[in-house]
Amino acid sequence: MEKLQLNETLKNGNSFREYIQKHSNVDPSSCYQCGKCTAGCPVSFAMDYTPRQVMRMIQLGMEQEALSSHTIWLCACCETCSVRCPKNIDLAKVMETLRIEAKRRGMVAERNIDLFADLFLNSVEKYGRVHEMGLILQYNLKTGQFFKDANLAPTLFKNSKIHLQADKIQDGGAVKRIFQRVKTQGGEG
Ligand code: SF4
Ligand code: SF4
């Protein structure tokens, strides 16, 4: 893990902190660095910076470090941190806000995770639910891992866990309208 200069105060510290506050509806200043979020996070062992360190980066205006971190993409959105925080800080929402901002600026540190999320949402928008087979094929093709997990396919087909044909839900229009509303409000497609 790279060493952080946590006592560093950047010129644009206030504006980045305020930006995150505005878009997440969470006040990063109220974090008192107790570390309960990190202690409960199931994937902190794999992160380059712990959830607590990400909060500190926001407090200090270290936007380049926060937005280019792998942590914000490895976050599983499980909300354990949000539930455990003694200051009621919704850290999962902060992570989501950082991901959106990183993507907006073209600073995605984990391209395959971002690709998977996009393909997943595209499938839900198209069929009203995920078509696993299509998702696997597109992901493998776009990441160049053509035969990734191919050995599992026979068992998955045999147990009807994946299907060649996509199952559509009855009112797919309702799901499409939800996606349309999100896009109208400025969300990503
Ligand atoms: S649990 Fe809450 S107050 Fe404690 S370090 Fe994490 S975000 Fe900050
Ligand atoms: S929401 Fe993300 S940061 Fe929070 S505990 Fe879960 S994986 Fe960790």
Side-chain angles (χ1 to χ4, degrees):
M1 186 182 296
E2 191 183 333
K3 194 174 176 185
L4 286 176
Q5 296 297 322
L6 291 182
N7 60 349
E8 186 180 352
T9 304
L10 303 184
K11 283 184 203 151
N12 61 353
N14 284 338
S15 61
F16 184 56
R17 194 165 57 242
E18 283 162 10
Y19 182 89
I20 296 300
Q21 182 169 353
K22 182 179 168 200
H23 290 271
S24 66
N25 210 20
V26 171
D27 179 9
S29 306
S30 62
C31 167
Y32 57 10
Q33 291 288 293
C34 69
K36 278 198 78 174
C37 48
T38 296
C41 176
V43 284
S44 64
F45 71 92
M47 293 170 164
D48 47 356
Y49 301 114
T50 65
R52 178 193 64 75
Q53 286 178 313
V54 171
M55 286 304 290
R56 193 69 172 134
M57 287 173 178
I58 297 170
Q59 289 177 335
L60 296 172
M62 301 170 72
E63 59 182 87
Q64 291 299 317
E65 291 83 352
L67 294 175
S68 61
S69 75
H70 293 259
T71 293
I72 61 177
W73 297 98
L74 294 173
C75 167
C77 314
C78 68
E79 301 196 355
T80 305
C81 51
S82 307
V83 172
R84 291 192 176 193
C85 176
K87 298 289 286 180
N88 289 325
I89 292 170
D90 190 349
L91 187 43
K93 190 77 185 4
V94 172
M95 292 288 184
E96 181 185 63
T97 305
L98 290 169
R99 278 194 298 274
I100 292 170
E101 183 60 13
K103 187 159 179 164
R104 198 177 69 80
R105 295 194 197 182
M107 296 171 67
V108 176
E110 291 280 348
R111 297 216 166 269
N112 286 357
I113 293 175
D114 183 40
L115 173 66
F116 185 88
D118 284 347
L119 293 174
F120 186 97
L121 288 173
N122 288 345
S123 188
V124 173
E125 183 178 13
K126 193 167 175 189
Y127 304 115
R129 50 155 297 171
V130 178
H131 177 221
E132 290 91 350
M133 186 69 198
L135 177 63
I136 293 167
L137 284 176
Q138 284 191 65
Y139 181 78
N140 282 8
L141 279 175
K142 292 194 179 205
T143 56
Q145 308 169 90
F146 304 114
F147 301 107
K148 185 173 185 292
D149 297 327
N151 59 323
L152 301 174
T155 309
L156 290 171
F157 275 121
K158 189 175 153 209
N159 295 326
S160 295
K161 297 294 182 192
I162 54 175
H163 305 94
L164 285 176
Q165 290 277 3
D167 291 326
K168 290 189 178 181
I169 63 166
Q170 281 185 344
D171 187 6
V175 174
K176 283 198 170 67
R177 284 194 293 279
I178 292 171
F179 274 86
Q180 198 53 51
R181 197 181 315 145
V182 171
K183 285 174 191 169
T184 307
Q185 292 172 356
E188 293 287 331

